[in-house]
Amino acid sequence: MNELPKAYDPATVEPDLYADWDEAGLFHAEPDDEGEPFSIVIPPPNVTGSLHVGHALDNTIQDVIVRRERMLGRNAVWIPGTDHAGIATQNVVEKQLAAEGTDRHELGREAFLERVWAFKEEAGGTILRQLRKLGASADWEREVFTFDGPRSNAVREVFVSLYEQGLIYRGNRLINWCPRCQTALSDIEVEHEDVRGELARFRYPFVDGDGGVEVATTRAETMLGDTAVAVHPDDERYASLIGRELRHPFQDRNLTVIADAYVDPEFGSGAVKITPAHDPNDHEIGLRHDLEVIDIFDDHAVTTTVVGERFAGLDRTDARREVKAALDELGLLLGVDEHSHSVGHCSRCSTIVEPRLSLQWFVTMRQLADAAAAAVREGRTRFVPESQTKTFLDWLDNLHDWCISRQIWWGHRIPAWYGPDGEIEVSREDLDRDGWVQDEDVLDTWFSSQLWPFSTLGWEGPDSHTPELATWYPTSTLVTGYDINTFWVSRMLMIGLWFTGEVPFRLVHNHGLVRDEHGKKMSKSFGNVIDPLDLIDTYGADATRFALLRSAAPGTDVPLAEEWVEGAKRFTNKIWNVGRFALSQLDGTRPGPMPPADELALEDRWMLSRLAATHLEVDAAYTRYDWAVVARGLYHFVWDELADWYLEAVKVRLYGDDPAAADAARRVLAGVLDAVLRLAHPMMPFVTEALWRALTGAAGGRDSLMVAAWPEPDRSFADPESERRFAVIRSLVTEVNRFRSQNGVPPSTRFELTVASDERALLDGHATLVSSLAGLSSLRTVDRVTERPGTSTIRFDSGEGQVELAGLIDVEAELERLNKERGRAEADRERGAAKLANDAFVERAPADVVDRERAKVEQLSEAIAGLDERIDALGALER
């Protein structure tokens, strides 16, 4: 076997291993492969996107799951692909055209689409190539695209079928409109931000008599489209005014005071202006009361002539200013106050979204939503963590019809044609008739991505019966952030049930959002964005993956800092060094059956017992998708038990002159390392694969850890008594090391330790082991030790030891250091005691702050007592 390099270099190891796996076809699966089917489909990233830290977490989790399922012997497939991302991709190309001094309208639809396809071919697929650097073991032979031929066929089939079933219709409804992108938006394409705006208060005068009704609005310009003022039916202040007419100050029309239970009588004056064309709540009130709907804006959010000559042709900001000035001139403006409120912005261009009435295509959601909610309530699809279920069901139970048409060109064009006499025909085939034209709009990107779980497996219609569908549908697990449960997961569940009769996935695993180490959202404006590709280049894929997973507890967001990735790289190096040391000592020993129990030393039995416990803990955490517990369990076992204790303990036999004992040690060491590498492989595939091949002599290719069997926990290794006995040795060695640290005694300095302990027989029987671990010249056990000048007492869990200090330390220098340390501790204690003696501090400070101060004073008192004891012992030597 070639000797492993001293340092682990991910830049040289990771690319070669990934290429080997890929070339050997280890990522690929066929429907007739052996094993119980298991399937995951990747949440498709935008085709022109680049890997961000959220993608890195999401795809690391998927890779962990599918790698473990392969090792468990499943016929596991992970299908990759990308989303055509209608608005996002079109915006990128439109910006390119603008830089060239042209636009899509000048280019024309066909030429523009050719330009977008060319851009997709040039820039598309970058993110999938980047996922390879992360170690993603997706089945790249099955890569698909939401806008390719088979997926496009599926989209048209679903649209036409829903239309034929009466679930898709065209109508005038209130939608989200982006004046810059010139298209309707889905709810998920609207980002709500708190902005500092204003609240304008003004009065509508009565048509007859003096006075009027006060209303308030954050958008004064929309009063140009008001058609009523509403009050709560039980509000006694307005009971006599219901039905009275109010005069619009700028238009030749009146508004009626109406009663509606939606109105909050506690907000403002208790009276609300109603603009049915530009507010979703007002629109619903307008439908209930049959109010006139007046759209005051054009597609660019500029006021039209319907508002009158003075206000026509203004953008929203100018119209707002002009309306307030006009109200003030008439004495109707009562005041304008600062007011912070949530405002919807286009997620693509950050333009303020305009709610407006528009002729669009919609999906009727109630039947679909009820079926999906029933599937969740029946447990056919479940969420991990389960806490996401309630929010999901609340969304489904209150779902409104979905606007699916978009006024852009890049996407699946709506398969509807309009005849010369106003006819509409929706067709599976393109129509070529004189005088007939196809709808200009395309479908919302989410319409195609909702088909993803079954369209990726070959579904193009009800007659689709592919081997992939028969084997892998429903898919096993969907991994995604909780933030798109309502917008994407719900739609996949609804449409999958409707068209296949089966849920599209058995389990939805929701991870949190990646934030910075302070829990703050990552944003370019905050300057806290972490690029995962930079992390991979600097620290390696394994370290990046491990750092992401170490904080990924179910139901929580995932904090990340670069220092944590650096720490994960140190853990990667620790695994490498453990493996490198083991391989240097194994002398060709391969993993196999463990030695008989009577050949195992205490440290072997302890190690195997800890391995069994860790194995059960980690296995259970893998199964319940608790990545933080998996990461912590592996880290603790490898670093704190295997590396820090077992490797040190086993050196006694490896370096000794008993061949049988050394052989038993090698067999245990090989078996433990093999189990650790298998358990850690899904999380850290590269370093584990490299070490495992060196350990087992595997040639690579299909002879790889990636497809080796998942280890079975051996409960027979559980040995509480050996753990208890080894804990005695660990406690003693730990306290000896503490003594060295406190007294400046270097590890190379050996000295005799006299010990009195309840575990005398244990310590006598393992004196060589204890001496080796603690760096002692000898270990002597006695019935008891008596404190006397010139010695230091070491207390451990099962007794105490005594060290002769003469000749061991520089007494004068150590006394000087200890006295300085005591002085600092005494000063800190006095400051704390003074705080606690101050009644004002105790009475006014938060209780937890006072408690912490008390605990700090107590800890300092204990530390001072310990220092005094050491000073006295050293002082006796000087005397």
Side-chain angles (χ1 to χ4, degrees):
M1 182 197 73
N2 294 328
E3 185 177 352
L4 291 175
K6 184 173 183 180
Y8 176 66
D9 180 13
T12 58
V13 173
E14 293 177 354
D16 290 346
L17 282 178
Y18 193 90
D20 182 67
W21 291 328
D22 198 8
E23 291 166 8
L26 302 189
F27 303 154
H28 183 63
E30 288 291 342
D32 58 357
D33 286 348
E34 292 182 1
E36 178 185 347
F38 183 91
S39 53
I40 288 184
V41 291
I42 190 174
N46 290 358
V47 66
T48 57
S50 184
L51 189 74
H52 61 61
V53 73
H55 292 134
L57 172 66
D58 191 81
N59 286 279
T60 293
I61 290 174
Q62 292 175 77
D63 192 53
V64 169
I65 292 171
V66 80
R67 282 180 180 275
R68 181 168 177 268
E69 293 296 332
R70 285 194 196 100
M71 294 177 75
L72 284 166
R74 313 274 198 262
N75 180 12
V77 69
W78 180 18
I79 299 180
T82 50
D83 194 305
H84 66 279
I87 295 177
T89 304
Q90 176 157 322
N91 275 349
V92 173
V93 177
E94 287 200 79
K95 286 178 182 177
Q96 292 178 351
L97 294 176
E100 298 168 12
T102 186
D103 60 33
R104 64 177 166 119
H105 299 287
E106 187 173 328
L107 210 59
R109 186 170 191 139
E110 294 306 316
F112 176 76
L113 289 177
E114 288 177 6
R115 178 71 178 259
V116 182
W117 275 109
F119 173 70
K120 181 262 178 186
E121 292 305 315
E122 177 186 345
T126 296
I127 191 168
L128 298 185
R129 289 192 293 274
Q130 292 167 340
L131 285 176
R132 289 168 165 83
K133 290 191 68 173
L134 188 67
S137 59
D139 191 341
W140 302 112
E141 296 178 41
R142 297 186 178 278
E143 181 182 333
V144 292
F145 178 46
T146 55
F147 206 5
D148 63 21
R151 262 48 63 183
S152 295
N153 294 340
V155 167
R156 181 169 288 199
E157 174 61 33
V158 167
F159 183 96
V160 175
S161 294
L162 290 175
Y163 180 81
E164 292 171 345
Q165 295 163 21
L167 295 177
I168 282 183
Y169 65 93
R170 190 172 185 239
N172 271 300
R173 293 180 62 91
L174 205 69
I175 51 92
N176 303 304
W177 181 263
C178 177
R180 185 265 171 209
C181 295
Q182 292 283 286
T183 183
L185 302 174
S186 67
D187 290 339
I188 196 172
E189 293 164 324
V190 178
E191 294 181 347
H192 290 271
E193 302 173 12
D194 287 334
V195 300
R196 178 170 292 182
E198 63 182 30
L199 192 67
R201 295 176 289 106
F202 68 94
R203 184 175 66 252
Y204 273 119
F206 290 123
V207 170
D208 53 347
D210 296 331
V213 177
E214 178 186 336
V215 295
T217 179
T218 58
R219 303 184 61 201
E221 73 278 10
T222 62
M223 64 86 64
L224 299 171
D226 285 356
T227 55
V229 169
V231 298
H232 194 279
D234 298 331
D235 193 336
E236 295 180 358
R237 295 172 295 174
Y238 297 106
S240 63
L241 300 184
I242 296 172
R244 285 194 67 175
E245 295 289 302
L246 303 169
R247 178 172 52 83
H248 198 290
F250 308 129
Q251 296 172 8
D252 185 20
R253 59 187 179 85
N254 297 334
L255 293 73
T256 303
V257 178
I258 62 174
D260 195 281
Y262 170 78
V263 178
D264 179 4
E266 301 298 323
F267 181 77
S269 67
V272 180
K273 60 186 283 300
I274 303 300
T275 320
H278 296 288
D279 183 274
N281 297 314
D282 290 6
H283 184 68
E284 294 299 319
I285 292 173
L287 292 175
R288 289 195 290 272
H289 296 270
D290 195 25
L291 298 178
E292 182 183 4
V293 179
I294 302 173
D295 188 347
I296 66 172
F297 295 117
D298 65 12
D299 290 352
H300 298 276
V302 171
T303 51
T304 65
T305 56
V306 73
V307 301
E309 185 177 349
R310 175 172 180 177
F311 305 106
L314 302 175
D315 67 21
R316 290 173 289 185
T317 302
D318 291 340
R320 186 173 307 162
R321 183 169 54 249
E322 190 65 23
V323 165
K324 287 185 294 182
L327 287 168
D328 196 31
E329 291 168 9
L330 297 175
L332 297 175
L333 186 65
L334 304 176
V336 179
D337 306 314
E338 280 194 4
H339 179 70
S340 294
H341 60 124
S342 181
V343 177
H345 293 71
C346 174
S347 63
R348 305 302 177 191
C349 67
S350 298
T351 301
I352 292 177
V353 168
E354 184 61 47
R356 67 179 304 209
L357 202 64
S358 182
L359 181 61
Q360 302 284 344
W361 288 89
F362 296 86
V363 178
T364 300
M365 303 303 294
R366 190 70 272 138
Q367 284 179 272
L368 303 176
D370 288 346
V376 173
R377 289 188 170 101
E378 293 164 5
R380 295 165 63 191
T381 289
R382 62 187 184 89
F383 285 80
V384 174
E386 196 276 333
S387 57
Q388 294 296 330
T389 306
K390 184 180 184 303
T391 304
F392 187 79
L393 290 173
D394 287 346
W395 167 266
L396 290 177
D397 291 343
N398 295 281
L399 197 55
H400 300 294
D401 288 359
W402 172 23
C403 175
I404 56 172
S405 45
R406 297 291 178 270
Q407 289 65 54
I408 58 175
W409 290 349
W410 173 247
H412 299 93
R413 195 167 177 179
I414 292 175
W417 283 260
Y418 305 104
D421 299 320
E423 310 98 316
I424 298 179
E425 186 166 338
V426 171
S427 173
R428 289 176 175 81
E429 305 295 331
D430 288 354
L431 299 185
D432 184 14
R433 301 176 187 167
D434 289 341
W436 285 69
V437 294
Q438 187 175 359
D439 195 305
E440 292 286 326
D441 293 350
V442 303
L443 289 165
D444 179 5
T445 297
W446 296 100
F447 191 91
S448 53
S449 61
Q450 70 177 336
L451 317 182
W452 196 245
F454 55 97
S455 69
T456 53
L457 295 171
W459 190 95
E460 297 182 49
D463 296 328
S464 300
H465 302 292
T466 67
E468 286 79 4
L469 278 167
T471 302
W472 288 309
Y473 190 85
T475 63
S476 308
T477 298
L478 175 74
V479 177
T480 185
Y482 62 77
D483 55 322
I484 56 172
N485 276 351
T486 51
F487 303 113
W488 185 47
V489 177
S490 65
R491 288 171 180 163
M492 287 190 289
L493 183 55
M494 287 185 280
I495 214 70
L497 276 165
W498 196 259
F499 280 92
T500 72
E502 289 275 9
V503 294
F505 25 72
R506 303 293 190 195
L507 184 147
V508 178
H509 172 44
N510 284 145
H511 56 74
L513 307 182
V514 183
R515 300 184 180 275
D516 70 12
E517 69 267 37
H518 306 296
K520 194 173 184 180
K521 178 182 178 181
M522 288 191 182
S523 167
K524 290 181 180 178
S525 61
F526 295 152
N528 62 351
V529 172
I530 297 176
D531 186 339
L533 296 172
D534 290 343
L535 298 179
I536 293 170
D537 288 340
T538 305
Y539 304 107
D542 282 341
T544 302
R545 291 161 64 109
F546 192 82
L548 284 165
L549 295 168
R550 66 179 287 277
S551 300
T556 64
D557 285 340
V558 181
L560 181 68
E562 185 169 351
E563 306 91 87
W564 301 350
V565 187
E566 187 177 1
K569 175 61 163 62
R570 287 195 291 271
F571 180 53
T572 308
N573 291 339
K574 177 63 73 171
I575 294 174
W576 182 259
N577 289 334
V578 166
R580 188 168 175 273
F581 169 79
L583 290 165
S584 73
Q585 299 299 318
L586 289 178
D587 195 26
T589 302
R590 303 295 191 200
M594 288 296 170
D598 60 358
E599 294 181 17
L600 296 175
L602 172 61
E603 60 267 27
D604 295 332
R605 295 193 296 275
W606 170 77
M607 181 81 278
L608 292 174
S609 184
R610 294 305 308 139
L611 174 63
T614 301
H615 194 155
L616 290 170
E617 176 194 15
V618 165
D619 224 7
Y622 267 123
T623 301
R624 65 177 185 269
Y625 296 168
D626 193 338
W627 313 117
V629 170
V630 175
R632 285 197 299 269
L634 290 170
Y635 184 99
H636 172 65
F637 179 78
V638 171
W639 199 301
D640 300 333
E641 296 180 328
L642 175 57
D644 282 359
W645 289 98
Y646 184 68
L647 292 190
E648 296 303 316
V650 82
K651 287 176 182 177
V652 174
R653 286 177 293 149
L654 291 175
Y655 298 164
D657 53 8
D658 183 339
D663 180 66
R666 291 190 190 98
R667 290 166 66 186
V668 173
L669 181 56
V672 170
L673 182 59
D674 177 62
V676 167
L677 296 176
R678 291 174 193 252
L679 288 171
H681 177 76
M683 278 197 168
M684 308 176 79
F686 293 106
V687 68
T688 54
E689 180 75 68
L691 288 172
W692 190 82
R693 291 185 183 184
L695 173 66
T696 62
R702 302 204 69 83
D703 185 13
S704 294
L705 174 58
M706 182 182 154
V707 288
W710 186 254
E712 287 289 331
D714 191 336
R715 288 176 170 79
S716 69
F717 289 156
D719 189 345
E721 176 59 17
S722 291
E723 291 198 37
R724 186 198 67 77
R725 297 177 75 209
F726 197 73
V728 172
I729 294 174
R730 290 180 68 184
S731 173
L732 174 56
V733 172
T734 299
E735 293 308 318
V736 171
N737 291 336
R738 194 189 315 277
F739 164 80
R740 287 181 182 275
S741 175
Q742 290 175 341
N743 293 280
V745 180
S748 58
T749 300
R750 304 201 167 253
F751 54 86
E752 183 181 75
L753 179 67
T754 302
V755 174
S757 171
D758 297 338
E759 299 287 346
R760 184 172 185 176
L762 169 68
L763 296 176
D764 281 337
H766 294 85
T768 302
L769 175 62
V770 174
S771 296
S772 175
L773 292 173
L776 303 175
S777 58
S778 63
L779 176 70
R780 185 168 65 93
T781 61
V782 296
D783 292 335
R784 64 176 180 273
V785 294
T786 303
E787 292 191 19
R788 53 191 174 82
T791 65
S792 183
T793 301
I794 296 174
R795 294 180 175 82
F796 63 105
D797 287 350
S798 301
E800 55 187 17
Q802 193 172 76
V803 181
E804 296 285 348
L805 298 178
L808 189 60
I809 62 176
D810 184 334
V811 175
E812 185 177 344
E814 189 62 16
L815 276 172
E816 182 180 356
R817 186 186 70 80
L818 290 173
N819 279 307
K820 286 181 179 179
E821 186 178 340
R822 190 193 188 287
R824 289 192 295 269
E826 185 63 52
D828 289 344
R829 181 173 67 172
E830 288 176 1
R831 279 192 293 272
K835 276 187 181 181
L836 294 172
N838 184 338
D839 292 340
F841 170 76
V842 175
E843 293 170 5
R844 295 175 187 172
D848 61 323
V849 173
V850 176
D851 290 343
R852 281 200 300 272
E853 198 63 37
R854 285 200 181 100
K856 179 181 174 183
V857 169
E858 289 175 7
Q859 290 168 359
L860 286 165
S861 295
E862 292 174 3
I864 290 169
L867 288 167
D868 286 341
E869 183 178 319
R870 288 156 61 192
I871 290 170
D872 288 344
L874 290 174
L877 285 179
E878 283 203 321
R879 294 191 294 272

